[in-house]
Amino acid sequence: MRSMATTGADRSLEQASISSQNLPLVRRLEAVGFRAWPAASVQYDGSWQVRLTAGHPSNRLNSIVPLDPSDHRDVEIRLEKASRKFEAYGRAAVVRQTPLASPVLIELLSAQNWTRFDETVVMTCDLTEAALPDTLDHLPTHDVGRFVDANLAVDGAPLTLKPALAEIISAIKPPSGLFMIENAVDGPLATVLCVQDNDLAGIMSLSVCEPRRREGLGTEILTSALRWARMRSARSAWLQVKISNRPAIALYERLGFRDAYHYCYWQREPR
């Protein structure tokens, strides 16, 4: 396991070499990620995806996503055109930078003084080899409304997001497991969404309510989701976590997750 003393900068340098040699994996994980968290509107400009979802602020649902490192034709014109789509929604234009983004585009963003933020690591785990802890098992619910209520409560998110979040989850086409831990006294304590796309299982929206963190609830609910996916013949699991979230990364590493690649976002404020 990597030492906890590893810095974010060190981790970024490590991933530059790893991800550059594994573009097929990046492409596959990006594709399953889109299916696991579907945007309301998806438009294409060459290999760029322009993803927009009016009712939800998630950057994964609202960003320009380049998908071919060699696609930098008319990059300045295309960036301006895509940015106007965000302005029509009244929000800042956002670009998602993965190893699939053209260096020419990234140089343009920097030259135009876009702001880089939210570096995130995508991690994968071999479920066929993973030694999952012997924790209390939880079965998924099929009640989307109940899960959404629990997820918003655990995150402390505004209830105004409920219609959009329910629509997003209902639009997921691959089989999904909605997991919750709750009790009669405290209500919802932890939630996670697991999306199984053929042999891959995506862990989405793992949350533990702040007063109950570091009590093993994250391990318990994540292990339940991974067992569920493995019983349904998933062979690998993947997830995304901000690089600044060291406690979560430590949990995932204990369960066998390892870095696959990094991504970040660039933002330009609305004009």
Side-chain angles (χ1 to χ4, degrees):
M1 183 181 297
R2 183 179 289 103
S3 167
M4 290 294 288
T6 301
T7 67
D10 292 337
R11 200 179 188 107
S12 298
L13 290 172
E14 290 175 19
Q15 291 313 304
S17 60
I18 294 174
S19 59
S20 65
Q21 300 171 14
N22 209 2
L23 289 183
L25 175 63
V26 176
R27 290 191 178 95
R28 189 177 185 209
L29 292 178
E30 287 293 293
V32 297
F34 296 151
R35 292 193 290 269
W37 205 239
S41 169
V42 179
Q43 301 176 42
Y44 281 90
D45 181 353
S47 65
W48 295 10
Q49 267 197 17
V50 181
R51 297 166 58 81
L52 284 161
T53 304
H56 200 283
S58 166
N59 289 314
R60 283 188 284 181
L61 300 173
N62 296 279
S63 51
I64 303 160
V65 188
L67 296 171
D68 183 349
S70 66
D71 182 5
H72 48 76
R73 173 186 51 83
D74 300 325
V75 63
E76 189 166 358
I77 296 171
R78 292 165 66 195
L79 179 61
E80 183 64 27
K81 179 182 175 183
S83 296
R84 289 200 193 104
K85 297 182 188 297
F86 284 78
E87 291 173 1
Y89 274 69
R91 64 174 74 219
V94 172
V95 174
R96 178 180 167 108
Q97 179 191 350
T98 73
L100 302 179
S102 166
V104 176
L105 172 61
I106 304 310
E107 289 174 7
L108 176 63
L109 297 176
S110 181
Q112 292 187 350
N113 296 318
W114 287 53
T115 303
R116 185 178 185 271
F117 67 103
D118 272 3
E119 185 171 359
T120 298
V121 56
V122 179
M123 307 180 76
T124 59
C125 173
D126 183 349
L127 287 179
T128 65
E129 300 291 336
L132 299 178
D134 185 18
T135 58
L136 181 66
D137 217 358
H138 298 271
L139 297 176
T141 179
H142 299 287
D143 189 334
V144 173
R146 182 181 170 202
F147 175 82
V148 168
D149 285 339
N151 182 256
L152 293 176
V154 170
D155 280 343
L159 291 176
T160 53
L161 291 179
K162 180 175 179 176
L165 185 56
E167 185 175 351
I168 292 163
I169 293 174
S170 298
I172 298 171
K173 288 185 168 42
S176 302
L178 308 174
F179 293 84
M180 302 183 299
I181 297 176
E182 56 186 351
N183 63 41
V185 176
D186 301 311
L189 302 176
T191 62
V192 71
L193 165 64
C194 183
V195 180
Q196 185 189 347
D197 198 328
N198 295 310
D199 63 330
L200 290 174
I203 299 298
M204 316 289 292
S205 299
L206 173 61
S207 299
V208 178
C209 68
E210 191 167 0
R212 300 295 299 272
R213 290 174 185 170
R214 296 177 178 82
E215 295 182 10
L217 293 173
T219 300
E220 186 175 310
I221 197 168
L222 176 57
T223 300
S224 293
L226 294 176
R227 283 201 194 102
W228 173 83
R230 188 160 65 180
M231 286 190 299
R232 295 177 56 85
S233 302
R235 299 181 60 81
S236 298
W238 63 272
L239 53 81
Q240 305 175 6
V241 56
K242 289 184 181 181
I243 200 168
S244 59
N245 192 348
R246 294 301 312 171
I249 290 174
L251 163 62
Y252 302 144
E253 288 180 333
R254 284 197 300 271
L255 292 180
F257 283 86
R258 296 294 180 263
D259 294 12
Y261 63 97
H262 285 201
Y263 69 84
C264 67
Y265 293 101
W266 294 77
Q267 180 173 287
R268 179 171 70 184
E269 294 301 325
R271 291 166 293 185

